Amino acid sequence: MPRLLPLLLLALAGVLVGLVDASRDGADDLVVLLAAVVVVLSVALWEVLRSRARISLRPDLAAWLRRQGAATGEPADRLADRCVAAYRAGLTRTEDPVR
């Protein structure tokens, strides 16, 4: 899960509460401002959610990732990244510059 996801969800929830409260109080200018913030946060949330490349794995490999992640405490996404980087390094005989 991207690190920004919980922060964006929390910010969006807070702004939505403010939007509902402002609309109940009849503060039209604040409603417009908060609605614009909701749109910006929604776009940012969408970008964060779609920024991660999606790959599909064979069921046995996906099960191994889940078991290995549970055993080591490492998130399955990070473990998959390391596995792919190690495989690529073996193919190209180079180190992964991004860690």
Side-chain angles (χ1 to χ4, degrees):
M1 176 169 59
R3 293 180 188 164
L4 286 178
L5 185 61
L7 181 62
L8 286 173
L9 288 173
L10 185 62
L12 186 60
V15 171
L16 286 172
V17 168
L19 181 62
V20 169
D21 187 50
S23 66
R24 291 179 76 195
D25 289 345
D28 295 335
D29 54 344
L30 190 55
V31 168
V32 170
L33 176 66
L34 291 175
V37 173
V38 165
V39 169
V40 170
L41 284 173
S42 297
V43 169
L45 185 63
W46 172 256
E47 289 297 320
V48 164
L49 288 174
R50 73 180 197 104
S51 66
R52 180 87 175 152
R54 305 282 187 241
I55 61 169
S56 59
L57 295 174
R58 291 188 335 229
D60 62 316
L61 294 175
W64 179 85
L65 275 175
R66 284 191 296 275
R67 283 193 314 271
Q68 189 69 17
T72 63
E74 185 175 14
D77 285 346
R78 187 178 312 150
L79 184 57
D81 288 344
R82 287 191 319 108
C83 290
V84 171
Y87 184 75
R88 183 186 77 184
L91 289 176
T92 61
R93 307 274 189 241
T94 61
E95 288 293 317
D96 187 8
V98 180
R99 295 255 175 201

